[in-house]
Amino acid sequence: MSEFDLIGRIRDRVGSRADVFLGIGDDAALLRVPPGKLLVVATDTLNVDVHFPADTAAADLGWKALAVNLSDLAAMGARPAWCTLSLSLPHADEAWLDGFLDGFLALAHKHDVALVGGDTTRGPLSICVTVHGLVDPDDVLRRDAAQVDDDIWVTGTLGDAAAALVQLRAGGAADGALRARLDRPTPRIEIAQALARIAHAGIDLSDGLLADLGHVCTASGVGAMVELDTLPASSMLAARFNAEARQVLQASGGDDYELCFTAMPTQRDAIGQLARGHDVPITRVGRILAGTGVNCVDAHGQPWHAPRSGYVHFAD
Ligand code: ADP
Ligand code: MG
């Protein structure tokens, strides 16, 4: 299999959209951007052993590579439209590519995203996806718009993916439900677009709640208070880890790809309705305060400090 055989194999399987004027095959793709919309662009790379365990199934990797990118679009309140895929592969392995495409295209199909181009090279396994979405200028969800007295909310549950990594590092297999959260995150695309209309600021949780909320606070020039006891946990996480270990994972574990957003307390009913309508749990976990930094308190109101606050590349 040559580079061109691989590209042909990808091209044979991709879907399209009416707004793709020209997809895979030329030097670049041609896309129709509707007037009045902003084009939203995000890119994320997955490297073996840094972003995923080397034993990750090809189909899970395909799903995750797109999911983490769609999560960035969700965090801007955008509707996804197109994507490109840059693959660095150690071998031209067709079975691996087919599996990868199974996962990648399943998620692309679910959200009507067209794969319109990319690059294919030989090298250590690395996957770089760029996604393009559209958003109304009035409905953008940004990091720099949190306001003092806003509630802080998170979607879904926190800590499962980090828990799976803890189990893997301990040398065993991870519980299926936890491993599934690590391998197949759910980008909160639909509900994010609805939330963007009523929320002030938002971010997706890739590096851990405290770290990512810290970015919102820095960008907005505010501080935050998080109540550790309110952080939502899945039943599997609660079953497998004691409260102390669990709360560390929920507050500072990465790879959740849930949304964290802030909104005025007058929006509580509206947020509850969206949660029910989309069947996505949304939990209030704290408040935006004047000042700087994210402070966490335990059930007794005592300051709580995470042993580590999130993953930072090049930090060590
Ligand atoms: P060029 O040499 O002009 O960069 P390539 O040979 O890299 O062109 O790519 C040929 C076509 O195949 C382009 O349209 C490119 O976008 C597409 N393509 C290459 N690799 C991928 C990939 N991994 N996924 C989707 N499209 C790809
Ligand atoms: Mg190229």
Side-chain angles (χ1 to χ4, degrees), residues 139-264:
D139 293 338
V140 179
L141 193 56
R142 300 168 51 134
R143 295 180 179 189
D144 62 3
Q147 290 178 21
V148 172
D149 289 334
D150 275 358
D151 292 324
I152 302 167
W153 302 82
V154 297
T155 61
T157 63
L158 303 178
D160 284 357
L165 280 177
V166 167
Q167 292 179 328
L168 291 175
R169 287 196 189 116
D175 284 302
L178 300 177
R179 181 78 200 239
R181 292 288 310 274
L182 178 67
D183 288 340
R184 296 224 171 198
T186 306
R188 298 297 187 185
I189 293 288
E190 280 83 16
I191 198 167
Q193 290 165 52
L195 286 170
R197 292 187 198 102
I198 55 177
H200 278 157
I203 191 167
D204 70 318
L205 298 178
S206 52
D207 297 333
L209 173 66
L210 298 183
D212 289 322
L213 180 58
H215 299 317
V216 171
C217 288
T218 304
S220 301
V222 296
M225 170 72 74
V226 169
E227 291 172 47
L228 195 61
D229 255 33
T230 62
L231 301 184
S234 70
S235 49
M236 182 59 91
L237 187 70
R240 288 291 186 267
F241 292 80
N242 66 34
E244 204 179 327
R246 171 169 57 75
Q247 288 179 332
V248 174
L249 297 170
Q250 291 173 283
S252 33
D255 272 332
D256 286 320
Y257 299 101
E258 294 293 350
L259 287 179
C260 172
F261 64 94
T262 81
M264 287 194 298

Side-chain angles (χ1 to χ4, degrees), residues 3-4 6-8 10-11 14 23-29 83-87 97 101 115-121:
E3 169 193 346
F4 297 107
L6 292 172
I7 296 171
I10 296 170
R11 189 181 179 174
V14 303
I24 295 174
D26 211 310
D27 295 307
C83 66
T84 59
L85 167 64
S86 184
L87 278 176
L97 181 67
L101 291 173
L115 176 59
V116 297
D119 201 24
T120 306
T121 55

Side-chain angles (χ1 to χ4, degrees), residues 30-205:
L30 299 172
L31 308 167
R32 290 194 184 88
V33 180
K37 297 282 185 188
L38 294 175
L39 178 63
V40 189
V41 182
T43 195
D44 251 322
T45 301
L46 297 188
N47 291 326
V48 62
D49 290 330
V50 179
H51 301 99
F52 60 92
D55 74 344
T56 305
D60 290 335
L61 210 45
W63 176 284
K64 185 164 181 170
L66 184 57
V68 303
N69 277 277
L70 293 181
S71 180
D72 281 325
L73 289 188
M76 299 303 288
R79 175 185 300 280
W82 314 296
C83 66
T84 59
L85 167 64
S86 184
L87 278 176
S88 163
L89 304 175
H91 321 281
D93 179 341
E94 16 181 323
W96 186 91
L97 181 67
D98 290 346
F100 180 88
L101 291 173
D102 288 343
F104 190 96
L105 296 175
L107 185 60
H109 185 71
K110 192 166 156 55
H111 295 289
D112 192 22
V113 179
L115 176 59
V116 297
D119 201 24
T120 306
T121 55
R122 169 173 282 181
L125 182 57
S126 174
I127 299 134
C128 178
V129 174
T130 300
V131 283
H132 307 77
L134 300 166
V135 73
D136 201 284
D138 296 331
D139 293 338
V140 179
L141 193 56
R142 300 168 51 134
R143 295 180 179 189
D144 62 3
Q147 290 178 21
V148 172
D149 289 334
D150 275 358
D151 292 324
I152 302 167
W153 302 82
V154 297
T155 61
T157 63
L158 303 178
D160 284 357
L165 280 177
V166 167
Q167 292 179 328
L168 291 175
R169 287 196 189 116
D175 284 302
L178 300 177
R179 181 78 200 239
R181 292 288 310 274
L182 178 67
D183 288 340
R184 296 224 171 198
T186 306
R188 298 297 187 185
I189 293 288
E190 280 83 16
I191 198 167
Q193 290 165 52
L195 286 170
R197 292 187 198 102
I198 55 177
H200 278 157
I203 191 167
D204 70 318
L205 298 178

